[in-house]
């Protein structure tokens, strides 16, 4: 956080009338405000590529297949909307192809059932006319 730390963040919140002078903001709010200010400073002074933010500059490249600070299950690539690997795309294609094959099979079974019912109706109509 640099000089002043959270006390400086609190002073700025008072100046912007976000809180009252005698009010103590929640820790989480201070943390978020402080990180946002750092993020803005870094964006203003550093030239970074897409997929790079303040946390990567300070803490280093992400490890372990997840992005720090955004919750569990969120990968670095998904967070920064980077293209997924070819393997993931191939797996998705195979899954969609399997679903398509299953739907085709179900449709063919339904069409066969409709054809059988139509034939039975024709036979029944023929018997009724004979009677």
């Amino acid at each position: 956080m640099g000089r002043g730390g959270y006390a400086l963040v609190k002073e700025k919140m008072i100046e912007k009338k976000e809180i009252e002078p005698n009010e103590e903001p929640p820790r989480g709010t201070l943390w978020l405000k402080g990180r946002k200010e750092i993020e803005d400073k870094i964006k203003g002074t550093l030239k970074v590529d897409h997929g790079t933010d303040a946390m990567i500059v300070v803490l280093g490249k992400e490890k372990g297949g997840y992005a720090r600070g955004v919750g569990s299950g969120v990968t670095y690539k998904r967070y920064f909307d980077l293209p997924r690997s070819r393997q993931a795309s191939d797996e998705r294609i195979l899954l969609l192809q399997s679903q398509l094959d299953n739907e085709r099979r179900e449709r063919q079974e339904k069409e066969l059932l409709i054809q059988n019912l139509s034939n039975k109706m024709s036979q029944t109509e023929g018997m009724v006319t004979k009677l």
Side-chain angles (χ1 to χ4, degrees), residues 15 42 75:
E15 287 174 13
I42 287 175
T75 64

Side-chain angles (χ1 to χ4, degrees), residues 75-86:
T75 64
Y76 173 78
K77 288 182 179 182
R78 186 169 293 168
Y79 182 74
F80 287 107
D81 195 28
L82 298 175
R84 293 184 179 190
S85 70
R86 173 124 176 111

Side-chain angles (χ1 to χ4, degrees), residues 36-50:
K36 179 64 179 151
E37 286 182 16
I38 297 297
E39 181 82 23
D40 292 342
K41 284 180 185 176
I42 287 175
K43 283 183 181 177
T45 58
L46 291 177
K47 184 154 180 108
V48 293
D49 298 329
H50 176 71

Side-chain angles (χ1 to χ4, degrees), residues 49-110:
D49 298 329
H50 176 71
T52 303
D53 64 357
M55 290 188 72
I56 291 174
V57 172
V58 174
L59 301 174
K61 190 166 169 82
E62 304 292 342
K63 296 176 185 164
Y66 67 92
R68 294 183 200 115
V70 292
S72 63
V74 180
T75 64
Y76 173 78
K77 288 182 179 182
R78 186 169 293 168
Y79 182 74
F80 287 107
D81 195 28
L82 298 175
R84 293 184 179 190
S85 70
R86 173 124 176 111
Q87 180 183 3
S89 297
D90 289 346
E91 290 173 2
R92 180 79 175 141
I93 289 171
L94 288 174
L95 175 65
L96 291 172
Q97 185 65 45
S98 172
Q99 289 174 344
L100 180 62
D101 291 342
N102 288 339
E103 289 176 7
R104 282 182 181 157
R105 190 176 328 104
E106 288 175 10
R107 190 188 75 227
Q108 288 173 348
E109 290 171 358
K110 288 177 182 177

